[in-house]
Amino acid sequence: MILIYAGTTRQGPLGLVREARMKAVQKEVMIGNWGIARGLVEAGLELAAAYPGTPSSEIIPGIVEFNKRDKGSIHAEWATNERCAFEVAFGAAVSGKKAACMMKQVGLNVAFPSLLAGKGKPIDGALVIVSCDDPGPQSSQTEQDTRLLAALFGIIVFDPASPVEAADVAYYAMQYSFEKKVPVIIRSTHRVSHAREAIPLYPAGERKPVIHEGVADNHESGAGFGIVASGMSYSIASDVVKGLSLQPEPPVYKVTRVFPMDPGLRAFVKNHERVLVLEETDSVLEALIGNGGKIFGRANGYVPGAGELTYDVVREIIEKIAREMKIADLKFSPDNTIEKALQNAKFPSRPPKLCSGCPHRASFYAMRHAFPKAVFPGDIGCYTLGISMGAVDTCIDMGGAVTMASGFYDTFHQDGTLIPIIASVGDSTFFHACLEPLYDAVKKKKKFVLVIMDNSTTAMTGMQPTPQSGVTAGGAPAGVVKIEDVVTGFGVEFMKILDPYDVPLTVKTLKEAFTFLQEQEKGPAIIIARRECLLYAKPKEDETFEFSQIEDECTGCGHCVDRFGCPALVFDDTKKRVKVDEGLCVRCGICLLACPPRRKKHGIRM
C-alpha cells in the first residue's frame, strides 16, 4: 500500500492526510538526480536506460552506485539515443519488469513517437519516464515544458520541488505505475536535479513517500490573493512570500501532480479573488485552471513568457501585484551586502569557449583555415562552441549538421555551383542521430565534407561512454562499434582518420576531400578527427611545450587570440603581445601552429 502524506488541509489531489512520521533514518547529502535514482532503486527498479543530457545525466550513475551498494541486480545502460532508451524500458515494462528511462527535455522529442504510441499499451510491470527540463535554458538549445506534453496526451506527470521530494516522487511514481499499469512521467528541472539536500535512505520497499500537495499549514484557505505554484517555482514563491512579510500573507497552493489536476486546486482558485500562477516554463497550470479574468500569469503579462523564474523575478511579480491590490505592509528589505562588495570587483570577460587544449579547437581552426568562405553546418555538443571560431554556422538539433549539409548542397547544385560545405558532428552525436542522414546522403551522392570529431567520450554531459567505447554504464567490458566501420559500410569512398593536433595534415586532408568531391560523382567525404578529450586523457610528456615559445616569438598580430581563441591566450594591451595564462594552459602547443608569423619563420605550410 502506498501512503502519501499532504498538508493539513485535505486538498491534496490524492485525497491525502498528514501524519507525523519522524524516525531516525540514515541520510546522505546528494543532488536531486541521485535522489531520483535512490527513490527508483528503493521502489524495486529492475531496468534503467538513458541517453546523457544535462540536466538528467547523473541519474544512471546514481542507479549504478546504489545498485552496487545494495548488491542488487538492476540492469542499467546508456542507450544510443532517447528513443532507444524509451523502447528498451518500455519492452521491459511490457514484460513485467519495473523499468525507467531518463533524458533531458529535448531528448523527449526523440522518444516522442514511441511514447505517444506506447502510452496506451498495456504493461505488466511499471514504466517511469524521467524528463529533466532546462528553464533558462542553461545547457540546451531551447526551453521546453515536459508537463505540457504530458497534459496534452493524458499522461500522469509529477513536478517535484526539491531533491528530497524528488526521491519520494520517484518512489511513489514507480509504485503507482506498477499498481495502475500505466506510464508515469517525472518532470524535474535543473534546479531540482542539481541542488543538494540531505535525503533519507531506506531499505528497498520501506520508503513512505511524503508528497505535499495543497496549502501548507497555518494558512487560511480563501482570501483576496492566493498563489499557485509547481516544482521549483513553489520553493521560490514560498521563500519570496516569507521575505516580503506580506500582511496578510497569501497562501501558496503547492501542485506536485500537475496532470490530472486535482479538484482541490480548482476550489482554491474559486475561493480567491485573484490568483498568481507560477510555473516553469510554459502555461500548463494556467491553461488547465482557466478562469482567465482572475489569474495573474503569462497570458496577461504578469509572468515572463520565457526564462527561469528566479527569486528576483518572482519577487518583482509579487511586489507588483501587492501594490496593485493594495496589500498593506510590504516589508521587504534586501541585503545589499554582496552587491556592494561586488561593485568594485573586476572580472575578466570569459565568453563560452572550448577548453584549453581541446582537439575540437584544432579541427575548427583547420576547417576555417582551409576554406575561409565555406558553409559550416554544426551540431549539438561541445563542438557547438565552434561558432565562436567562425566554423559553425548552423545548429538546429542532433544530427542536423548532416541533413542541413545535404540541403545546402542541393540548393547550390540547383544553381549549378559547388562550394565547400564543411559539416561537423561529435562521436556520440554521430551514433545518436547521424546514421540515417548519412546513409541518405551517401545514397544520393551529396557533395559535402563531414568532419566527425571523435574524442572517445560524450564529453559535454560528463564523459559517458559511446558505442565505440567498449564499456557499459557500470564499467564492464562491452561490444565495440567503430565509426569507420559504419562509414565504410555505408559505401563512403573518401574516409580519412587523422589526429586533429596535426593541423597542417588536417588542412591538407580537408582540401583533398573537397578535390575528391569536385572530381568524382560521389559524396560525401568523411574525415574522422580522432583524439581523446583532454579532460579524459592522460597528459603525454612528449607533447608539451614551454610557455616562452609563444610569448618570445609573438609579433602582436593578435591572430591566435581572435581566430584560435584558446582561453589561455591573453593579449597584453600594454606590451602589445600575447601572453600565456599558465593557470589555464595545458601545454598542448597547438597555438604555435595558429601563429602565422611563427609558421612563416619556421617554414610550416598549411
Side-chain angles (χ1 to χ4, degrees), residues 522-585:
K522 297 171 183 174
I526 307 291
I527 297 173
I528 301 175
R530 177 169 290 158
R531 192 179 183 89
E532 289 176 301
C533 172
L534 204 71
L535 300 177
Y536 189 67
K538 296 179 180 177
K540 298 176 176 61
E541 293 296 331
D542 60 341
E543 293 182 345
T544 62
F545 79 107
E546 297 298 326
F547 303 121
S548 57
Q549 292 183 32
I550 188 77
E551 295 184 349
D552 292 347
E553 298 181 1
C554 180
T555 61
C557 71
H559 177 86
C560 61
V561 175
D562 296 337
R563 296 287 295 277
F564 194 63
C566 177
L569 299 177
V570 181
F571 193 83
D572 189 327
D573 290 324
T574 303
K575 296 182 178 179
K576 303 298 181 186
R577 63 194 306 173
V578 167
K579 64 179 181 180
V580 177
D581 185 334
E582 297 185 16
L584 296 174
C585 181

Side-chain angles (χ1 to χ4, degrees), residues 46-374:
E46 294 172 285
L47 181 144
Y51 182 78
T54 305
S56 71
S57 304
E58 299 86 359
I59 301 175
I60 280 285
I63 290 171
V64 170
E65 172 62 21
F66 291 127
N67 184 54
K68 182 180 178 181
R69 291 186 197 177
D70 297 347
K71 296 181 170 56
S73 57
I74 299 172
H75 173 83
E77 68 176 44
W78 289 116
T80 304
N81 60 34
E82 294 84 357
R83 176 183 170 185
C84 292
F86 175 86
E87 292 176 358
V88 167
F90 184 69
V94 169
S95 305
K97 297 289 187 181
K98 287 184 175 177
C101 58
M102 303 88 190
M103 58 203 72
K104 67 181 300 181
Q105 89 282 5
V106 289
L108 190 60
N109 299 337
V110 180
F112 183 68
S114 305
L115 172 65
L116 199 58
K119 70 180 182 60
K121 299 287 192 302
I123 56 176
D124 287 338
L127 178 59
V128 175
I129 302 126
V130 184
S131 178
C132 297
D133 289 1
D134 187 14
Q138 300 196 9
S139 58
S140 309
Q141 64 270 47
T142 60
E143 288 186 329
Q144 187 172 304
D145 194 328
T146 296
R147 304 172 311 145
L148 179 61
L149 187 148
L152 278 173
F153 296 101
I155 305 172
I156 295 171
V157 57
F158 290 95
D159 191 13
S162 68
V164 168
E165 190 171 72
D168 282 350
V169 163
Y171 185 96
Y172 176 73
M174 180 63 75
Q175 299 295 67
Y176 185 92
S177 176
F178 187 75
E179 290 187 359
K180 304 297 183 183
K181 305 303 180 189
V182 296
V184 174
I185 292 178
I186 298 171
R187 187 293 284 263
S188 178
T189 56
H190 61 75
R191 295 294 178 193
V192 173
S193 288
H194 291 160
R196 292 180 185 273
E197 202 169 9
I199 297 178
L201 307 179
Y202 298 92
E206 295 188 12
R207 180 177 290 264
K208 302 296 185 293
V210 179
I211 301 175
H212 296 282
E213 185 94 15
V215 181
D217 297 347
N218 65 31
H219 280 288
E220 294 183 2
S221 180
F225 173 52
I227 300 172
V228 171
S230 77
M232 180 52 70
S233 297
Y234 169 79
S235 300
I236 298 292
S238 298
D239 287 346
V240 170
V241 167
K242 292 175 184 174
L244 287 173
S245 300
L246 290 168
Q247 294 298 330
E249 184 175 297
V252 183
Y253 191 103
K254 183 174 186 293
V255 179
T256 305
R257 192 185 69 182
V258 176
F259 183 85
M261 193 176 72
D262 183 69
L265 173 57
R266 200 173 295 282
F268 176 86
V269 174
K270 181 180 179 181
N271 292 336
H272 288 80
E273 178 185 349
R274 300 298 300 269
V275 174
L276 168 65
V277 178
L278 296 169
E279 54 186 332
E280 293 173 325
T281 55
D282 223 315
S283 305
V284 181
L285 288 172
E286 197 174 328
L288 292 172
I289 290 171
N291 293 299
K294 69 185 321 180
I295 299 296
F296 296 114
R298 287 195 168 85
N300 54 17
Y302 279 85
V303 178
E308 188 178 7
L309 296 183
T310 63
Y311 183 94
D312 289 343
V313 171
V314 171
R315 191 190 70 212
E316 289 178 5
I317 294 170
I318 295 177
E319 285 178 335
K320 177 181 178 182
I321 293 172
R323 287 193 295 271
E324 290 182 2
M325 295 190 67
K326 303 186 186 319
I327 298 174
D329 299 330
L330 195 62
K331 297 179 179 177
F332 177 71
S333 299
D335 181 356
N336 295 322
T337 306
I338 296 177
E339 285 78 2
K340 289 181 179 177
L342 292 174
Q343 283 178 352
N344 297 323
K346 295 182 179 179
F347 301 98
S349 175
R350 295 195 186 280
K353 287 184 176 181
L354 294 163
C355 302
S356 302
C358 176
H360 297 345
R361 174 179 288 103
S363 296
F364 283 130
Y365 183 79
M367 290 162 56
R368 184 71 190 277
H369 183 88
F371 297 103
K373 297 182 179 179

Side-chain angles (χ1 to χ4, degrees), residues 387-531:
I387 193 170
S388 64
M389 300 177 67
V392 169
D393 292 328
T394 68
C395 181
I396 182 170
D397 62 357
M398 294 185 77
V402 179
T403 37
M404 291 194 73
S406 290
F408 290 138
Y409 165 71
D410 288 334
T411 300
F412 293 113
H413 182 63
Q414 279 185 324
D415 296 337
T417 59
L418 177 63
I419 68 167
I421 300 170
I422 315 295
S424 58
V425 301
D427 49 339
S428 183
T429 301
F430 174 78
F431 287 109
H432 177 284
C434 293
L435 301 187
E436 293 95 337
L438 180 59
Y439 172 74
D440 192 61
V442 173
K443 188 172 64 174
K444 296 168 184 172
K445 300 179 181 178
K446 304 295 180 70
K447 293 180 179 292
F448 61 86
V449 180
L450 174 63
V451 180
I452 302 172
M453 299 180 178
D454 178 10
N455 61 3
S456 305
T457 188
T458 315
M460 193 176 204
T461 51
M463 308 299 173
Q464 293 83 10
T466 73
Q468 68 174 0
S469 299
V471 63
T472 68
V480 174
V481 179
K482 289 187 174 296
I483 295 173
E484 53 266 39
D485 293 343
V486 175
V487 169
T488 54
F490 280 175
V492 172
E493 296 193 23
F494 186 100
M495 195 275 293
K496 298 286 180 69
I497 303 173
L498 52 77
D499 180 351
Y501 270 20
D502 191 340
V503 177
L505 176 62
T506 308
V507 171
K508 177 174 177 287
T509 308
L510 283 162
K511 293 179 177 177
E512 288 177 357
F514 186 63
T515 300
F516 171 83
L517 297 175
Q518 288 175 309
E519 296 177 349
Q520 305 289 327
E521 287 302 318
K522 297 171 183 174
I526 307 291
I527 297 173
I528 301 175
R530 177 169 290 158
R531 192 179 183 89

